[in-house]
Amino acid sequence: MYQNMRYAEQELSMGYVRVIHTVPDAPSVDVYANATLLVNNLAYGNYTDYLPVPEGMYEISIYATGTRNTPVITNMLTVNRNAMLTAAAAGLLRNIELLAITDADEAEMPGKAMVRFLHLSPNAPAVDITLPNGTVIFSNVSFRHITPYIDVTPMNYTLQVRVSGTSNVVLTVPNVN
């Protein structure tokens, strides 16, 4: 059966979609694409792997897990051939939105890793992303802002989130590979 599925994927023009839940006051969710379950029981702060999805236009509906009465949000998502997308539920429950974020849209540099930062914390001010020595990687990133990709040497990094323009560290994230 796996070989038949792989063959079917090769015959169709596929894109790849992952889903991330960043709404702090929302329950775990089920995500449907054109009324077909795509993701089950996705909790706040979690995300899926990239899922192969045939090229096309999809109505994405997000429901509280186990319900199908009223969606938390419904939005359209276009999946193009070979596209890699992140569908991010963002904001607070009262003003939730679905962001379609194109991933891996920059050419890879030989021997480098490509990274960017997405600010999806609705209650946080603009932030700087720094190294512990104060080197600023991304500056003044506000809610819903997505930075351009930058190339970095592949290795483990400790990153700090600072209130923009200050030395006030509000979060330290060790061992980012």
Side-chain angles (χ1 to χ4, degrees):
M1 180 168 159
Y2 177 71
Q3 288 177 333
N4 290 341
M5 287 175 29
R6 286 180 48 101
Y7 179 74
E9 283 182 26
Q10 291 171 358
E11 292 296 311
L12 296 172
S13 295
M14 303 299 285
Y16 300 88
V17 177
R18 69 177 169 181
V19 180
I20 184 169
H21 182 336
T22 68
V23 181
D25 63 343
S28 294
V29 297
D30 295 336
V31 181
Y32 288 80
N34 292 347
T36 300
L37 183 63
L38 183 66
V39 178
N40 183 41
N41 199 26
L42 185 63
Y44 167 71
N46 291 333
Y47 59 93
T48 66
D49 291 332
Y50 285 100
L51 307 168
V53 176
E55 179 179 29
M57 176 85 67
Y58 293 89
E59 180 181 77
I60 303 297
S61 297
I62 299 176
Y63 296 87
T65 293
T67 70
R68 287 289 302 270
N69 305 357
T70 305
V72 175
I73 188 171
T74 297
N75 206 339
M76 298 304 291
L77 178 69
T78 301
V79 177
N80 294 316
R81 182 175 183 237
N82 297 325
M84 295 182 76
L85 299 171
T86 296
L92 295 171
L93 196 52
R94 70 178 178 272
N95 61 358
I96 190 172
E97 59 186 306
L98 186 66
L99 303 175
I101 303 162
T102 302
D103 295 329
D105 60 354
E106 298 287 328
E108 289 188 34
M109 303 286 293
K112 298 288 185 174
M114 303 301 288
V115 298
R116 67 177 172 183
F117 177 72
L118 292 76
H119 185 328
L120 296 178
S121 182
N123 295 325
V127 297
D128 298 332
I129 305 302
T130 70
L131 298 175
N133 68 6
T135 300
V136 177
I137 301 170
F138 300 108
S139 66
N140 197 31
V141 184
S142 58
F143 175 60
R144 287 188 309 239
H145 184 78
I146 303 165
T147 68
Y149 282 98
I150 62 169
D151 60 278
V152 298
T153 302
M155 60 186 271
N156 285 344
Y157 291 89
T158 294
L159 299 177
Q160 295 180 335
V161 179
R162 299 177 185 213
V163 175
S164 184
T166 75
S167 60
N168 181 17
V169 177
V170 294
L171 178 66
T172 299
V173 185
N175 297 316
V176 176
N177 186 350

